[in-house]
Amino acid sequence: MPVLVVDQATPESAAAFAAGLDEARRRSEDVVVVALADGSGLTAESPEDVKVTHQVADERDRDPVGALLDVAAQLEPSVIVIGVKHRSPTGKLLFGSVAQQILLEAHCPVLSVKAPRNQL
């Protein structure tokens, strides 16, 4: 089973990738990076000790979360790693979130990671 990292081409995705690599090393698993946005923001070279593959979620007919969950159903990951944004209490109340939808609908554990504020 791989560790699935969600890439939305954001600084939060970079934090999720770093956490996903650590999780993959801990579990002795590979990493699959699934891009939800046009073009992957994760261009870092793959480390020698973890196999990293990239995949694009096909969201032409569906929402991004639905496409991601389809990929997760096929790959059966041990964990999904997502990057989350720093949001105000009002922002959390008024706006929906891709991260929230993944947390609620995923059928495997989800690890959420925040990017350090100085990288935003």
Side-chain angles (χ1 to χ4, degrees):
M1 293 194 294
V3 171
L4 193 148
V5 176
V6 179
D7 178 13
Q8 293 184 281
T10 64
E12 293 81 14
S13 294
F17 183 64
L21 288 175
D22 289 344
E23 195 67 20
R25 287 183 184 109
R26 189 176 67 77
R27 295 171 182 257
S28 299
E29 295 177 351
D30 296 334
V31 172
V32 176
V33 177
V34 178
L36 296 185
D38 291 335
S40 173
L42 302 176
T43 57
E45 290 186 28
S46 299
E48 293 180 12
D49 59 337
V50 177
K51 180 182 174 192
V52 177
T53 58
H54 293 265
Q55 187 170 342
V56 176
D58 183 10
E59 58 179 290
R60 286 176 281 184
D61 297 326
R62 299 196 53 188
D63 65 308
V65 174
L68 171 73
L69 294 176
D70 286 348
V71 171
Q74 292 171 355
L75 298 177
E76 298 181 354
S78 58
V79 65
I80 297 173
V81 184
I82 59 174
V84 295
K85 296 180 180 184
H86 296 270
R87 295 169 61 185
S88 70
T90 304
K92 292 175 188 173
L93 177 67
L94 295 177
F95 300 104
S97 162
V98 168
Q100 181 180 6
Q101 202 173 353
I102 293 168
L103 286 166
L104 293 173
E105 296 181 22
H107 293 289
C108 66
V110 178
L111 173 62
S112 63
V113 179
K114 287 185 180 179
R117 285 195 180 265
N118 60 359
Q119 291 183 2
L120 298 176

